[in-house]
Amino acid sequence: MESWLKFVDDEKRRLIFGNEETFEAAKAYDKKRTVHAGIRGKNVEADKTMSVWQAEAKAKHSFEDACVYINIPFCQTKCTYCGFFKNLSDASLIDDYTEALTGEIADAKNTPLYSHGKVRAVYIGGGTPGTLSAMQIEKMLKAVRESLPLSNDCEITFETRTYQFGADKIQACVDNGVNRFSLGVQSFDTKARRAIGRVDSGEKVMEMVSRLISMKEASVSLDFIFGLPHQPVETFLNDIHTADCLGVDGMAVYQLNVFEGGKMDEGIKKGKTEAVPETSRQYEYHSAAYEMLSDMGYSQLSMSHWVRGTLDRSIYNRFTKSGCVLHAFGAGAGGRTENYGYFVHPAVTPYNMMRAKGIKPVMGLSEKNIMSGLYEFINGQMDTGILRFDTAERLFGINLKSIFAPLTESWEKRGLVTVGERAMRLLPAGQFWYVNMTQALLDILELIHSQGVYEPVSDKIAAQG
């Protein structure tokens, strides 16, 4: 295959290779390019969306495994850093939404797309699913169990925060199949929590986590964010230590992205919120967490997720990162079939109205890239920290080791990866930049496939630099 370097000018080279003038891991790239690596597919024309969707939903399919994402687009409060907030909780609106959502899930039982294969994982996210009442949680979960072909080891995750998530809601979850709780703790430090708009104190959050663990009904995984206001490295490491002492089954650590124009960005510019570390300084948090979690004997399921023991399997994240079929339910949910990506109408009222007419509220479709199978393979592999060249050649008949050599040699010299005969392994420094690096690999293949027509993109994220 001819060299792709002829398609790369200085600007593209810096996006793909990063900062080749330094061996400093924290500055391997100038900035974070995107939240999730990927190549966008071609959008289906709006007037054809519904007819294409209906044909896809009724067609015969060959996939064996699938996952389910259910979106609850409500929160009790808006966190300052969040880019996913949609609606403040409203009892009557949530009640109507639950009825519409339950009906959408129930309809899946008679739809070939949804009744095919086995569902390996269900993820209920948002928003904050904990805004639902215990009765609404029970009703939704019953619809899931009665309408979808769940595997006998299906991992059902309920994502929430501790605020207003009482014993009745917890019981409704465990009585109706939830076997994994994912709590968006972000930090136990009350000052840091207050700075991002969280209501519960750190002590109250610890009490809730302890209660969930002591029930021994489901695995408990916590999400933490590093680089928050009022959060030095020591505070972040103390969060990890506290979670370990509480006995959690797993924890995920994410770097803070301050979205341009968001509430936190505006607060920092006006001096109302303490400035946060730039991306290059966030590397200190990443490096310290990697060393601490490794030293404590945790294993990595992905670049962000660490576990101990065997209870927290994080199946949804592993399967979806590898491109499996994803069934989406609820306003704002995104999914994919074997041939298309799709998203459900994000606004609650139109969603409810369409459901009242018995319509699947699909608002948009994008046709998968012809190379999507290979791209999904690379994405899933990179998220585990190991890209198997030999497996890619066996599955796709392509010599990625040879193709990527100009880039991987540069990465190896700068201490981001090690390259062996069969695989490339991300080193701790590379793990910090793995999204940029994954996008770079996809960019190279797309440049080759398009004969240089493709233009690598860089999204506006991480306003803190």
Side-chain angles (χ1 to χ4, degrees):
M1 187 173 289
E2 59 186 339
S3 173
W4 48 271
L5 288 171
K6 67 179 182 180
F7 302 129
V8 178
D9 57 23
D10 290 343
E11 183 178 353
K12 290 188 182 74
R13 186 177 182 100
R14 196 166 186 92
L15 280 177
I16 293 172
F17 281 76
N19 186 359
E20 297 176 272
E21 292 79 37
T22 181
F23 287 85
E24 189 177 348
K27 298 180 179 178
Y29 281 83
D30 295 326
K31 62 180 181 179
K32 192 174 180 182
R33 280 181 60 190
T34 182
V35 176
H36 302 292
I39 301 295
R40 296 178 177 90
K42 182 181 178 181
N43 290 333
V44 174
E45 295 176 21
D47 60 345
K48 297 179 181 178
T49 294
M50 193 52 65
S51 61
V52 172
W53 167 256
Q54 290 171 346
E56 184 73 358
K58 295 176 182 176
K60 289 184 178 181
H61 298 275
S62 59
F63 66 88
E64 296 180 350
D65 300 314
C67 290
V68 168
Y69 179 77
I70 299 172
N71 197 48
I72 309 298
F74 302 97
C75 289
Q76 300 98 327
T77 61
K78 181 178 181 179
C79 297
T80 59
Y81 64 85
C82 185
F84 303 100
F85 177 84
K86 296 298 180 184
N87 309 281
L88 279 171
S89 57
D90 175 274
S92 61
L93 189 59
I94 293 176
D95 196 46
D96 291 341
Y97 179 77
T98 304
E99 288 293 322
L101 173 63
T102 303
E104 184 190 2
I105 297 170
D107 284 353
K109 191 171 185 178
N110 301 314
T111 305
L113 172 64
Y114 296 122
S115 57
H116 183 79
K118 286 291 185 182
V119 172
R120 299 295 174 181
V122 176
Y123 196 96
I124 302 161
T128 307
T131 56
L132 300 183
S133 69
M135 288 182 63
Q136 290 164 344
I137 291 171
E138 180 180 9
K139 186 172 185 176
M140 175 186 62
L141 289 169
K142 281 186 175 180
V144 168
R145 288 160 46 220
E146 293 172 358
S147 308
L148 298 170
L150 306 183
S151 64
N152 62 7
D153 64 343
C154 183
E155 183 176 76
I156 302 179
T157 298
F158 194 90
E159 178 191 63
T160 190
R161 47 175 158 164
T162 58
Y163 182 59
Q164 294 182 346
F165 191 58
D168 58 338
K169 297 182 182 183
I170 295 172
Q171 199 62 49
C173 286
V174 299
D175 286 347
N176 290 279
V178 169
N179 50 29
R180 181 175 184 266
F181 286 106
S182 177
L183 298 180
V185 171
Q186 318 315 359
S187 177
F188 288 118
D189 185 81
T190 300
K191 189 174 182 179
R193 290 178 58 77
R194 295 286 190 261
I196 60 175
R198 287 303 174 100
V199 178
D200 287 342
S201 67
E203 291 74 16
K204 190 169 183 178
V205 174
M206 291 178 212
E207 290 174 8
M208 171 67 77
V209 173
S210 294
R211 186 187 314 161
L212 288 173
I213 292 172
S214 66
M215 291 178 69
K216 299 189 181 299
E217 294 282 2
S219 66
V220 178
S221 178
L222 307 185
D223 287 354
F224 292 112
I225 295 178
F226 58 81
L228 295 171
H230 308 292
Q231 186 201 47
V233 174
E234 294 75 20
T235 299
F236 174 57
L237 294 180
N238 188 58
D239 287 336
I240 293 174
H241 179 258
T242 300
D244 178 66
C245 292
L246 288 171
V248 299
D249 300 294
M251 58 184 96
V253 293
Y254 302 102
Q255 65 187 101
L256 174 70
N257 291 315
V258 180
F259 293 95
E260 290 189 11
K263 193 173 180 180
M264 180 175 283
D265 187 32
E266 293 300 318
I268 292 172
K269 289 176 179 176
K270 293 177 181 178
K272 295 180 180 179
T273 302
E274 182 180 89
V276 297
E278 294 184 352
T279 300
S280 59
R281 275 196 55 218
Q282 289 179 339
Y283 180 77
E284 298 174 34
Y285 295 75
H286 161 81
S287 181
Y290 182 94
E291 183 177 339
M292 184 176 189
L293 287 161
S294 297
D295 188 50
M296 291 192 299
Y298 282 74
S299 302
Q300 279 186 283
L301 290 185
S302 71
M303 294 298 89
S304 59
H305 201 92
W306 297 75
V307 299
R308 62 175 173 187
T310 59
L311 295 181
D312 184 6
R313 297 174 293 161
S314 193
I315 292 176
Y316 173 85
N317 291 319
R318 292 298 324 121
F319 269 66
T320 55
K321 282 288 179 69
S322 300
C324 80
V325 167
L326 177 59
H327 302 320
F329 300 95
R336 57 175 169 256
T337 69
E338 291 174 296
N339 303 302
Y340 297 92
Y342 68 94
F343 66 95
V344 182
H345 203 299
V348 172
T349 299
Y351 168 86
N352 288 349
M353 292 173 65
M354 294 176 76
R355 278 305 314 151
K357 297 177 181 178
I359 300 171
K360 174 77 175 183
V362 174
M363 189 176 182
L365 283 169
S366 60
E367 190 171 3
K368 281 191 175 182
N369 187 295
I370 193 171
M371 304 273 282
S372 63
L374 176 58
Y375 294 165
E376 289 164 353
F377 168 81
I378 292 172
N379 221 331
Q381 290 267 297
M382 288 291 282
D383 190 51
T384 68
I386 301 175
L387 176 58
R388 288 281 300 272
F389 300 131
D390 55 348
T391 305
E393 188 153 16
R394 175 171 55 84
L395 294 177
F396 302 99
I398 187 169
N399 188 342
L400 293 181
K401 184 176 182 179
S402 175
I403 293 171
F404 293 148
L407 177 59
T408 57
E409 288 170 6
S410 173
W411 283 345
E412 193 165 31
K413 288 177 183 176
R414 289 183 280 151
L416 301 177
V417 304
T418 58
V419 180
E421 182 63 29
R422 297 178 177 82
M424 177 184 73
R425 182 183 295 271
L426 296 181
L427 296 173
Q431 292 189 16
F432 181 73
W433 293 106
Y434 92 95
V435 176
N436 279 33
M437 294 166 70
T438 303
Q439 187 64 52
L441 300 178
L442 303 185
D443 287 342
I444 290 169
L445 293 175
E446 195 65 12
L447 281 168
I448 295 170
H449 178 64
S450 69
Q451 288 293 291
V453 174
Y454 168 74
E455 289 291 331
V457 298
S458 185
D459 298 328
K460 288 185 177 182
I461 59 171
Q464 73 267 38

